[in-house]
């Protein structure tokens, strides 16, 4: 994000050639610009910490220094987290042993996470332009990857969860007969914490995406909604067409 200034009224990013803030609509000539200063989030904390409460400041710092910083490792870690969540949802432990399941998660998860990040960033870039977004796909990848950091902190709880419950957490009966009740209770509590960090990631993700696009969080939400519809609507049309085709044969 080259040559970025910030609105003196709301703090949103301003790009070269813009005559007013896209967030609060303040005209450029009504603003008072001061020399850029680093925030406390940039000075005193790691972005892994700062993004929790200062997602926009943290995102500015990352984009201004290196928009590729840690993006691929974060995407890979996110892919592992999502693969574990899918394994729980599909009760994969009913048909796979724990070593095999974890091996598949560690192989397929990072690949899926990295590919998903690139596809998602392209979609957000495509639909974001409809709303006036100015971020590049590279910047959007950074925003999505770093916006999910709180959920990755929560994903660290998979280690004690697996130590306590083993493969039981991936089975349909949750291993009620095989696992100590206290272990199951603790595992359930940690899963609830993971849900909380995932919800907080939704908040940070909207603000990191909004920062690079020059959007409010609500407009960033619309950006994500449009990206989802771009994928969903063609699938629904194809599915409806297949239903009509099959129905016409009988």
């Amino acid at each position: 994000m080259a040559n970025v200034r910030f609105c003196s009224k709301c703090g949103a990013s301003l790009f070269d050639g813009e005559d007013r803030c896209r967030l609060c609509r303040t005209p450029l000539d009504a603003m008072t610009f001061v020399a850029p200063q680093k925030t406390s989030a940039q000075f005193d904390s790691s972005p892994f910490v700062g993004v929790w409460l200062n997602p926009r400041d943290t995102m500015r710092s990352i984009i201004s220094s290196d928009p590729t910083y840690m993006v691929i490792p974060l995407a890979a870690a996110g892919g592992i987290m999502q693969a574990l969540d899918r394994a729980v949802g599909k009760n994969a432990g009913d048909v796979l042993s724990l070593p095999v399941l974890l091996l598949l998660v560690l192989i397929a998860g990072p690949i899926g996470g990295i590919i998903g990040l690139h596809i998602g960033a392209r979609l957000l870039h495509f639909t974001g332009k409809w709303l006036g977004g100015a971020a590049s796909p590279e910047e959007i990848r950074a925003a999505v990857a770093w916006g999910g950091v709180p959920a990755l902190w929560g994903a660290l709880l998979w280690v004690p969860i697996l130590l306590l419950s083993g493969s039981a957490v991936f089975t349909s009966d949750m291993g009620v007969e095989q696992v100590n009740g206290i272990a199951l209770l603790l595992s359930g509590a940690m899963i609830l914490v993971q849900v909380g960090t995932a919800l907080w990631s939704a908040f940070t993700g909207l603000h990191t995406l909004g920062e690079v696009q020059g959007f409010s969080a609500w407009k960033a939400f619309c950006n994500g909604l449009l990206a989802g519809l771009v994928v969903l609507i063609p699938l629904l049309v194809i599915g409806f067409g297949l239903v009509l085709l099959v129905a016409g044969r009988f």
Side-chain angles (χ1 to χ4, degrees), residues 71-79 108-120 141:
V71 168
I72 296 302
L74 288 173
I111 295 172
I114 293 169
I115 293 174
L117 177 67
H118 281 77
I119 293 174
R141 286 195 294 271

Side-chain angles (χ1 to χ4, degrees), residues 159-181:
V159 175
I161 288 171
L162 292 174
L163 290 174
L164 286 169
S165 62
S167 63
V169 72
F170 300 108
T171 60
S172 54
D173 61 4
M174 289 296 291
V176 173
E177 297 179 356
Q178 294 83 14
V179 181
N180 180 279

Side-chain angles (χ1 to χ4, degrees), residues 11-139:
S13 302
L14 294 168
F15 301 91
D16 284 344
E18 294 180 329
D19 60 357
R20 64 177 58 240
C21 175
R22 283 176 292 165
L23 188 58
C24 68
R25 308 307 296 167
T26 300
L28 196 66
D29 55 10
M31 297 181 191
T32 301
F33 290 100
V34 296
Q37 297 180 348
K38 288 189 175 182
T39 66
S40 58
Q42 294 170 308
F43 270 124
D44 300 329
S45 67
S46 160
F48 289 96
V49 177
V51 74
W52 281 78
L53 297 178
N54 299 286
R56 288 184 179 267
D57 292 340
T58 302
M59 201 68 244
R60 289 175 192 169
S61 178
I62 293 168
I63 292 299
S64 64
S65 57
D66 180 8
T68 66
Y69 176 61
M70 291 295 294
V71 168
I72 296 302
L74 288 173
I80 292 173
M81 177 187 68
Q82 292 166 9
L84 287 168
D85 290 340
R86 284 194 294 270
V88 171
K90 294 182 179 297
N91 300 318
D94 288 343
V95 295
L96 296 173
S97 67
L98 183 60
V100 172
L101 191 156
L102 292 179
L103 181 62
L104 290 174
V105 163
L106 292 174
I107 293 174
I111 295 172
I114 293 169
I115 293 174
L117 177 67
H118 281 77
I119 293 174
R122 284 290 177 182
L123 286 170
L124 289 168
H125 177 253
F126 176 66
T127 56
K129 289 190 292 185
W130 300 349
L131 302 174
S136 67
E138 181 182 61
E139 293 165 345

